[in-house]
Amino acid sequence: MIIEVDRLDVRYGATRALRDVSFELAEGEVVALIGANGAGKSSLLRALAGLETPRGGTIRLFGQDIGHAPAHEVARKGLRLVAEGRQLFTDLTVGENLWMGGYASPFDREEQQAQLERVFGLFPILREFTGRAAGMLSGGQQQMVAIGRALMGGPRALLLDEPSLGLAPKYVAQILEVICELAATGITVLLAEQNAAAALRAADRGIVLSNGTITHTSSAQELLDDEDVSRHYLGVGTAEDADSVVAPRQLPCALDRLEV
């Protein structure tokens, strides 16, 4: 397993954000993390990335305990987080933002250049905007930069926090397509999304968080067929309605079915 989480507990003072959270992520697997606002999705991603110190439980990356490792060490070990809101250096150019992503990587300059070409292969428009200030791009283009910056470190596991937030449908579809392409190369993706329908459409499995605990963990298809999940998280009333809105991921990704 790439990531193993066992009975994870995260608190902010007296507030318990995560309680006894356990799951595993395999190589090349896409897992959708869904739940209402305040369910603990961002807290979980931040704990995995080394930005929050767990109160209890363990986090293992490639079998190594990283529960108390600082964020830069976690990044160097191959796990990268694309935070909610993109967190770009808006006054720097697109190219400068991307190169910053390789700062904590083990790659030399030549290897980083190869990573940059890989990013341009996934997001061709970024090559055209290399010299443009990141703050001048649209929201969808900025999300491309944020994901590209994370990929500059050559991660084997990628955490995405609300990548579709505020984006036009065409950009959501592009992001989902890239997630599928990354999974096909063996990169593990944990995708936290309010847009549960879109997330499950690109995922192999889903994990549902509620009040800091896991209430459901199953295949994407099973979650789509679950009327309770459909009612509370997909914005539709029945399992039959859910099937008409989304289609589960097939391996390899059925990219032509990723319309949003």
Side-chain angles (χ1 to χ4, degrees):
M1 289 293 169
I2 300 296
I3 296 174
E4 300 169 89
V5 178
D6 184 40
R7 303 190 66 180
L8 186 65
D9 188 285
V10 172
R11 306 188 186 200
Y12 303 107
T15 302
R16 199 173 187 183
L18 296 172
R19 179 178 53 194
D20 294 331
V21 169
S22 300
F23 62 91
E24 297 178 342
L25 302 179
E27 181 178 1
E29 187 176 32
V30 179
V31 175
L33 181 64
I34 62 178
N37 284 332
K41 301 188 301 296
S42 293
S43 294
L44 176 54
L45 297 191
R46 287 177 59 83
L48 294 177
L51 296 172
E52 300 291 347
T53 302
R55 184 69 64 90
T58 60
I59 303 170
R60 292 187 177 88
L61 180 66
F62 314 122
Q64 297 183 339
D65 191 339
I66 61 167
H68 291 80
H72 68 277
E73 287 188 12
V74 174
R76 286 185 65 88
K77 290 179 183 294
L79 188 152
R80 294 287 179 112
L81 169 67
V82 179
E84 181 181 353
R86 300 179 281 276
Q87 307 296 319
L88 297 181
F89 301 101
T90 55
D91 292 334
L92 298 183
T93 67
V94 168
E96 289 168 337
N97 271 273
L98 293 175
W99 280 108
M100 286 292 290
Y103 180 74
S105 78
F107 300 142
D108 60 26
R109 187 75 175 185
E110 183 176 345
E111 291 170 323
Q112 288 183 12
Q113 183 63 47
Q115 288 297 117
L116 182 64
E117 290 300 320
R118 183 185 183 197
V119 170
F120 288 153
L122 291 169
F123 302 114
I125 197 171
L126 297 187
R127 187 189 297 275
E128 177 183 345
F129 292 157
T130 301
R132 184 175 299 185
M136 299 296 292
L137 304 185
S138 70
Q141 292 161 355
Q142 288 185 14
Q143 189 62 265
M144 293 177 187
V145 177
I147 295 174
R149 183 175 61 184
L151 293 175
M152 285 293 292
R156 292 179 59 189
L158 191 64
L159 312 176
L160 302 177
D161 195 356
E162 303 289 355
S164 75
L165 186 64
L167 302 190
K170 69 173 183 178
Y171 286 120
V172 177
Q174 284 183 266
I175 297 302
L176 294 179
E177 289 180 9
V178 167
I179 289 171
C180 290
E181 291 183 44
L182 294 175
T185 68
I187 294 176
T188 299
V189 180
L190 182 58
L191 171 64
E193 264 292 349
Q194 283 285 91
N195 188 343
L200 288 171
R201 152 183 292 162
D204 300 299
R205 288 193 295 126
I207 296 173
V208 181
L209 272 179
S210 179
N211 297 319
T213 63
I214 293 178
T215 60
H216 300 75
T217 179
S218 190
S219 71
Q221 180 63 68
E222 288 171 331
L223 290 178
L224 291 171
D225 289 340
D226 188 303
E227 293 190 10
D228 183 61
V229 172
S230 296
R231 185 179 305 108
H232 289 94
Y233 301 108
L234 299 184
V236 292
T238 66
E240 291 76 13
D241 290 336
D243 283 338
S244 71
V245 174
V246 297
R249 181 176 179 230
Q250 298 180 354
L251 294 177
C253 281
L255 300 184
D256 59 331
R257 301 177 68 186
L258 288 176
E259 304 95 290
V260 178

